[in-house]
Amino acid sequence: VEQRGMVWSDRVWFGKRNGLMASGKGHLAGGMIFALIGLHLFAHYLYVPTYLDMVLYVSLALMFAVWPDVDTKSIGQKFFYSVFFLTDCYLIFHEEYELAAYLGLLIILPILAKHRGWTHSIWAMFLIPSPLLLYPVLKGGSLDAFTLSGVPYYASALTGYFSHLFLDGKFKPWK
């Protein structure tokens, strides 16, 4: 069934041309819904996060809700490549040339892939946000510093990434 440039397929709205998913707005809306559900479950079953933590969790979920489309012209691509560019400029300004070069190498990988390629894979959903788990180790300077403090951030990013793949039809629990 087609309505206003959208296709209803398997109970999921898929964007055609300039539809909700194609523009990224649908993924942001879906990411927000999934983030709020996750936040509700988290607050009722684990611990009640501070307001700042809640903002960070929802922000991460929204960022990762648009990340898989970084391989095509989208809201996610504009946002992440702006962040990458500013980070690279910062590294160069501070004469961290080797780090800047590695970052530059890594950030071109999504552009070299086809749309809905590896950025839309289940393994990428788990791997791409994994640095959030390692942040406490990097901050503490040793493996002894590893704690579970990165888990809520990782879970938030995972929730956003999952929402994107779900809305793109990667997971079809009704089949």
Side-chain angles (χ1 to χ4, degrees), residues 3-166:
Q3 296 175 347
R4 295 188 204 166
M6 303 297 287
V7 175
W8 180 259
S9 174
D10 295 326
R11 296 189 285 183
V12 177
W13 283 94
F14 294 98
K16 279 181 69 181
R17 294 185 206 147
N18 296 324
L20 281 176
M21 296 306 150
S23 70
K25 292 176 186 171
H27 286 302
L28 286 171
M32 179 61 88
I33 291 168
F34 275 72
L36 293 176
I37 291 169
L39 195 57
H40 174 77
L41 294 172
F42 195 79
H44 286 295
Y45 295 107
L46 297 173
Y47 81 98
V48 179
T50 67
Y51 289 118
L52 178 60
D53 282 339
M54 287 190 250
V55 169
L56 290 172
Y57 299 158
V58 170
S59 297
L60 279 168
L62 292 176
M63 286 171 33
F64 280 89
V66 295
W67 163 259
D69 283 341
V70 76
D71 60 359
T72 188
K73 191 170 181 115
S74 63
I75 291 172
Q77 186 184 69
K78 289 175 189 173
F79 173 77
F80 282 103
Y81 277 93
S82 295
V83 170
F84 292 150
F85 175 75
L86 293 173
T87 304
D88 229 16
C89 288
Y90 174 84
L91 291 171
I92 291 168
F93 180 77
H94 288 282
E95 299 180 359
E96 295 286 345
Y97 302 119
E98 189 173 349
L99 270 174
Y102 284 124
L103 178 63
L105 182 64
L106 289 175
I107 63 176
I108 65 166
L109 292 178
I111 297 298
L112 298 176
K114 66 181 179 115
H115 182 53
R116 297 208 175 159
W118 70 267
T119 62
H120 283 74
S121 67
I122 294 170
W123 65 265
M125 178 179 73
F126 288 100
L127 183 66
I128 298 298
S130 64
L132 295 168
L133 286 171
L134 300 176
Y135 177 72
V137 174
L138 297 173
K139 186 178 176 187
S142 73
L143 285 176
D144 296 334
F146 183 76
T147 64
L148 297 178
S149 62
V151 171
Y153 303 103
Y154 177 77
S156 299
L158 202 62
T159 300
Y161 211 123
F162 175 82
S163 75
H164 185 105
L165 298 183
F166 181 82

